[in-house]
Amino acid sequence: MTKTILITGSTDGIGLLTAKTLAAQGHHILLHGRNPDKLATAVADVGGDSEPFLADMSRMAEVVALAEAVLARKSVLEVVINNAGIYETSEPRTAYGQDVRFLVNTFAPFVLTQRLLPILPKNGRVVNVASAAQAAVDLDALAGKVELASFPAYAQSKLALMIWTQELAKANPKGPVVVSVNPGSLLASKMVKEGFGIAGNDLRIGADILTRAAVDPSFANASGQYFDNDAGQFAPPHVAAQTPDHVAEVMDVMKQTIATLM
């Protein structure tokens, strides 16, 4: 069955390869990027009837506009893959004082997903691209009150993403399926090359597991879970994501901070 699938951050790296893989299976792909030229190139690369959607995920107004554009053009969206992410940046704080890593990696996918829920069917899926890098969340950093170095900001933003993944799954027990996936450590993405200065491992490792998470029956009953592709299995997240008080604090601060950005 052909599915309509939105993939954020799909103009290069794992996102683009995942888009190509799913398009080759006959699915209709909604590509997202922030650079119009790269987005046009990606649409040509993916081919078929893929469609472009332009938005800067560090700007909440553009995230909302992205959701509205999808809602205006689609009555059903079977899968959302929240792949857009950032690790290293020369400007870690926005003009509003918010850490861009939390904005792009945590807040933007949360807002986008919440706004797209009305057109996600019960058997639909939300796949959040997580990481093996996970750390308990500094609530002041989450709120934009303090600035962190690249790695702790990235690791904390990814755990915050995993926390809202499991909480959204709990809030929607009848679906859609909401899962987080570590596609594999140090894959050959632009993020890894720029952040760690290494070529990285085969991107196909990540694209294959994201494709499975999006459409394979093995993920049909995995809502709220975390798949660690380094281990090749579902696994528990960092202990902080299993600590009720920390989870509640993260969700509260995240929602309060997002409200100030809308």
Side-chain angles (χ1 to χ4, degrees):
M1 176 183 173
T2 298
K3 299 180 185 297
T4 299
I5 302 172
L6 170 65
I7 308 175
T8 67
S10 47
T11 58
D12 56 27
I14 298 171
L16 179 57
L17 186 54
T18 302
K20 290 180 177 179
T21 303
L22 288 164
Q25 295 178 0
H27 300 294
H28 177 54
I29 310 300
L30 310 185
L31 293 156
H32 157 263
R34 63 175 181 170
N35 181 302
D37 294 333
K38 290 181 66 175
L39 186 56
T41 299
V43 169
D45 286 348
V46 173
D49 58 355
S50 59
E51 298 180 57
F53 289 83
L54 187 68
D56 183 339
M57 302 299 270
S58 70
R59 299 176 181 272
M60 200 56 62
E62 294 193 29
V63 175
V64 172
L66 170 60
E68 291 176 346
V70 174
L71 290 168
R73 289 158 63 175
K74 304 297 170 186
S75 58
V76 177
L77 178 66
E78 282 87 1
V79 182
V80 176
I81 302 178
N82 286 309
N83 168 70
I86 187 169
Y87 173 80
E88 191 76 40
T89 175
S90 59
E91 297 181 0
R93 296 183 77 83
T94 69
Y96 301 100
Q98 182 62 50
D99 189 309
V100 72
R101 280 75 58 99
F102 283 106
L103 264 175
V104 175
N105 300 345
T106 309
F107 299 163
F110 178 79
V111 170
L112 180 64
T113 300
Q114 289 281 2
R115 288 178 176 259
L116 293 176
L117 279 177
I119 61 170
L120 277 159
K122 298 302 182 184
N123 63 348
R125 298 186 189 180
V126 176
V127 180
N128 289 333
V129 178
S131 173
Q134 304 166 24
V137 181
D138 181 327
L139 299 178
D140 285 338
L142 183 66
K145 297 177 181 178
V146 299
E147 183 178 322
L148 302 175
S150 296
F151 185 81
Y154 181 78
Q156 292 180 34
S157 68
K158 286 299 184 178
L159 190 70
L161 172 77
M162 295 166 69
I163 285 173
W164 78 246
T165 299
Q166 64 188 28
E167 294 307 293
L168 184 61
K170 290 177 185 177
N172 295 273
K174 295 182 179 180
V177 170
V178 190
V179 297
S180 55
V181 177
N182 164 31
S185 295
L186 299 177
L187 301 182
S189 64
K190 179 181 177 182
M191 182 187 298
V192 166
K193 292 173 185 176
E194 292 181 350
F196 296 92
I198 60 175
N201 300 317
D202 188 358
L203 278 179
R204 175 59 59 186
I205 295 169
D208 285 349
I209 190 58
L210 293 184
T211 297
R212 281 181 54 201
V215 299
D216 194 86
S218 62
F219 278 77
N221 297 306
S223 199
Q225 296 188 53
Y226 162 61
F227 190 91
D228 181 4
N229 204 31
D230 290 335
Q233 62 185 11
F234 290 99
H238 187 283
V239 64
Q242 305 172 63
T243 305
D245 287 349
H246 188 65
V247 168
E249 290 172 339
V250 168
M251 291 301 298
D252 284 346
V253 172
M254 187 181 74
K255 290 176 181 179
Q256 290 169 14
T257 305
I258 288 173
T260 69
L261 300 170
M262 301 297 286

